[in-house]
Amino acid sequence: MSGKFRIGYGYDVHQLAENRKCIIGGVEIESKLGLLGHSDADVLSHAIADAVLGAGALPDIGFFFPPSDASCEGIDSQKIIQRAVAEVAKLGYKVSNVDCTIIAEAPKMLPHIAKMKAILAKSLGVAPEDVGIKATTNEKMGWEGRKEGIGAHAVCLLEKA
């Protein structure tokens, strides 16, 4: 791979459902509805992992953790991020920073962002100040606005190790 720096983008979405935990950025958030998915359905961590993999021009997380693989069921998404970091390390890169946005009408994210940053920083191998997390609503428009699901966008900058 060429270049001192590489940038990647990730996006993920998960449907809200009853009888599921709401884990976002590695933090379990108290909520009547949780996120539906094969893993722990951590939408933010999935977007970050795909951003890391994308920066390395690697396949997405579904390639490394296919939904058809029963051993991946319920997997902690921090392990998914750690695998993405390990894959780009094989290419001679390390994560420099990530920046993310969570799109959700509810639950409120602000009280949890500091803890998310600490957890994600550890998984990414960076300092918490190298993890940017913002949250926004969709102003009651679209599927996010109707509280049908939660989405997340992320960008990652890799640098030569």
Side-chain angles (χ1 to χ4, degrees):
M1 297 190 89
S2 63
K4 181 175 179 173
F5 297 102
R6 296 186 57 90
I7 191 165
Y9 168 76
Y11 169 77
D12 197 40
V13 60
H14 283 275
Q15 186 177 0
L16 286 163
E18 293 181 0
N19 302 313
R20 289 285 301 192
K21 292 180 180 179
C22 185
I23 300 171
I24 301 175
V27 176
E28 187 172 338
I29 299 171
E30 189 173 322
S31 177
K32 291 180 182 178
L33 298 175
L35 294 168
L36 187 61
H38 183 65
S39 66
D40 64 6
D42 183 338
V43 66
L44 179 59
S45 295
H46 293 179
I48 291 169
D50 272 341
V52 172
L53 291 167
L58 295 166
D60 66 16
I61 61 175
F63 175 84
F64 295 100
F65 298 93
S68 59
D69 184 347
S71 71
C72 298
E73 189 168 347
I75 190 171
D76 180 341
S77 291
Q78 297 317 297
K79 292 180 181 177
I80 294 173
I81 291 176
Q82 291 161 8
R83 172 74 182 273
V85 170
E87 292 297 324
V88 297
K90 292 177 189 176
L91 303 173
Y93 287 87
K94 65 179 182 174
V95 173
S96 180
N97 73 300
V98 297
D99 185 39
C100 323
T101 302
I102 306 162
I103 304 105
E105 293 294 324
K108 294 294 181 193
M109 299 295 151
L110 187 60
H112 310 286
I113 287 178
K115 189 171 181 184
M116 289 178 191
K117 288 176 80 158
I119 291 168
L120 293 167
K122 184 176 180 184
S123 293
L124 291 161
V126 300
E129 57 266 21
D130 295 324
V131 179
I133 302 175
K134 300 164 301 300
T136 190
T137 67
N138 221 32
E139 301 294 332
K140 300 182 180 177
M141 297 182 294
W143 56 266
E144 298 107 325
R146 291 187 301 269
K147 300 180 184 176
E148 295 173 13
I150 294 177
H153 298 264
V155 292
C156 171
L157 181 66
L158 297 181
E159 64 181 301
K160 279 282 190 191

